Amino acid sequence: MRATESELPVFPFTNADGSDDQERMVRLSEEQPITRVALAGQPVWLVTRHADVNAVLVDTRFSLARAIDPGIPRLGTFELPPGQLLATDPPEHTRLRKLVAKVFTARRIEQLRPHVEEVSDRLLDRLAEQAPPVDLIQHFTAALPIEIICEILGVPDQDRDRFQEWTERLLTVAGLPAEEVQAGWTRIADYLAGLVAEKRLVPTDDLLSRLVAARDEDDKLDENELVMLGLALLIGGHETTKNQLASSVAMLLAERPDQWQRLIDQPELVPSAVDELLRYVPLFGYAVTFPRVATAAVELGGVTIAEGDTVLISLTSANRDTAMFDDPDEFDPARTPNRHLAFGNGVHRCIGAQLARIELETGLGGLLRRFPQLRLADAELDWKKGVFVRGLHELRVEW
């Protein structure tokens, strides 16, 4: 017998200080891996165990497109606009993804590694010239992925700082009026539309120009899809990597200084350490990713998800599942195999996963090599509250 709506625990779970209760989410994966919670006043399913989360990710009966329908509960003010890559299902999603997939193949992205290393070294040179303490996010963890994705897309140098404030607003879940969040979407979409118009007049050798050609010459997408695809790549190509790298460095310096030293002594562990950081360090502010809606009745983990039910999945708890990982609460940079779900799975698996991994390996490896004595300048870390992507306001460091 299902609990009544008034009896359901309210999601997101928060502590007394307003921070997200990550521990409760992980505990649910052991005690109630598929449970009902109330989101925006409506009952939804919360899925927390690795096997079940992965099953939702790969099952196309769980729709991301349906999740933006009117009346579907949202995670606060966060809402994907129609036509956005992450708000589409196959076959529309397949059609749009194919337009950029060739640019993001493992082989082509691996060829970018020397350039990523070059950009990283240049930024680290500039960092070394600063008088500590300095904000590592501003000077490095944000600057690196922003420069790379903007080069791939063809965003002019002088515009790279403009969209960061807009991104901050549109990824807000709580703390800002919905109108301000939507204004962030409008501003960045208008910017992309203007950039598309420029590429149409003066094409260059970049991904956005190729998408314009696919729109104008081959009629493979409409104008809104073109803008939304560029927007998805621009935001996804920097915001997650920026925060993941900063959060990873902060965790190592604050909680695992012995492992920071181990990575200095054994730099060959950096690639496996990056995978372990992706598993261990939460990326999502409320431990869940985008809501999905079941388009048919689905049996999952011993319960029946009815057609039309909304489902939330927690990659955070899935990546700490004792059924999948030995000692999941321990950080082990040599962990192998490491079947984390940080990049998702199925048709919506992060298209930029390989690029993100190269940037994380290069960024972390560069810091370990150039700044082995790096340390936190502040005893307390100031985490953002009410955001979809977990991150710090700043990461002040010294050496």
Side-chain angles (χ1 to χ4, degrees), residues 23 25-33 48-51 279 314-330 335 337 339:
E23 292 182 4
M25 190 76 76
V26 173
R27 193 166 61 247
L28 275 175
S29 69
E30 299 178 355
E31 300 171 0
Q32 292 178 283
T48 54
R49 189 168 53 189
H50 189 284
R279 182 195 73 83
S314 173
L315 303 185
T316 300
S317 62
N319 285 338
R320 296 288 186 99
D321 189 343
T322 55
M324 178 58 63
F325 305 100
D326 294 332
D327 299 319
D329 293 330
E330 290 300 315
R335 185 185 296 273
R339 299 186 179 90

Side-chain angles (χ1 to χ4, degrees), residues 55 111 257 281:
Q111 291 173 347
V281 178

Side-chain angles (χ1 to χ4, degrees), residues 110-316:
E110 185 60 36
Q111 291 173 347
L112 284 175
R113 188 183 290 270
H115 180 59
V116 175
E117 292 172 347
E118 176 188 324
V119 173
S120 175
D121 287 343
R122 171 164 40 82
L123 293 171
L124 290 171
D125 286 343
R126 292 179 184 174
L127 181 64
E129 295 171 358
Q130 304 292 319
V134 299
D135 179 10
L136 192 67
I137 297 175
Q138 176 187 350
H139 292 282
F140 187 66
T141 75
L144 176 61
I146 285 174
E147 180 161 343
I148 299 301
I149 194 59
C150 286
E151 287 180 354
I152 291 173
L153 277 172
V155 176
D157 290 354
Q158 64 270 21
D159 292 346
R160 291 175 183 175
D161 293 333
R162 296 177 60 189
F163 57 80
Q164 290 193 71
E165 180 185 351
W166 303 333
T167 301
E168 292 275 342
R169 288 180 177 274
L170 59 89
L171 292 178
T172 297
V173 172
L176 283 178
E179 301 77 36
E180 288 193 34
V181 178
Q182 289 305 312
W185 283 109
T186 300
R187 290 191 186 104
I188 198 167
D190 287 348
Y191 169 75
L192 259 296
L195 191 55
V196 163
E198 292 177 16
K199 300 293 183 182
R200 189 166 273 134
L201 291 173
V202 186
T204 49
D205 184 22
D206 53 60
L207 179 54
L208 200 55
S209 292
R210 292 177 213 170
L211 292 176
V212 171
R215 161 78 180 111
D216 295 349
E217 300 169 15
D218 302 326
D219 197 26
K220 291 182 177 179
L221 70 170
D222 63 33
E223 196 73 10
N224 180 65
E225 289 172 336
L226 169 58
V227 171
M228 287 296 112
L229 190 51
L231 186 151
L233 295 170
L234 186 60
I235 297 172
H238 85 275
E239 188 66 23
T240 51
T241 305
K242 171 188 80 173
N243 288 303
Q244 185 68 29
L245 182 54
S247 298
S248 296
V249 171
M251 187 282 294
L252 287 168
L253 295 180
E255 302 174 22
R256 299 289 193 276
D258 58 324
Q259 297 295 351
W260 177 267
Q261 185 60 50
R262 182 182 178 185
L263 292 174
I264 291 171
D265 297 336
Q266 298 175 269
E268 69 275 8
L269 287 179
V270 167
S272 61
V274 163
D275 266 317
E276 179 69 342
L277 288 163
L278 286 163
R279 182 195 73 83
Y280 187 85
V281 178
L283 176 62
F284 296 101
Y286 291 93
V288 296
T289 182
F290 313 102
R292 288 162 165 80
V293 173
T295 59
V298 181
E299 295 294 325
L300 183 69
V303 304
T304 300
I305 310 292
E307 180 180 355
D309 281 358
T310 301
V311 177
L312 292 173
I313 55 173
S314 173
L315 303 185
T316 300

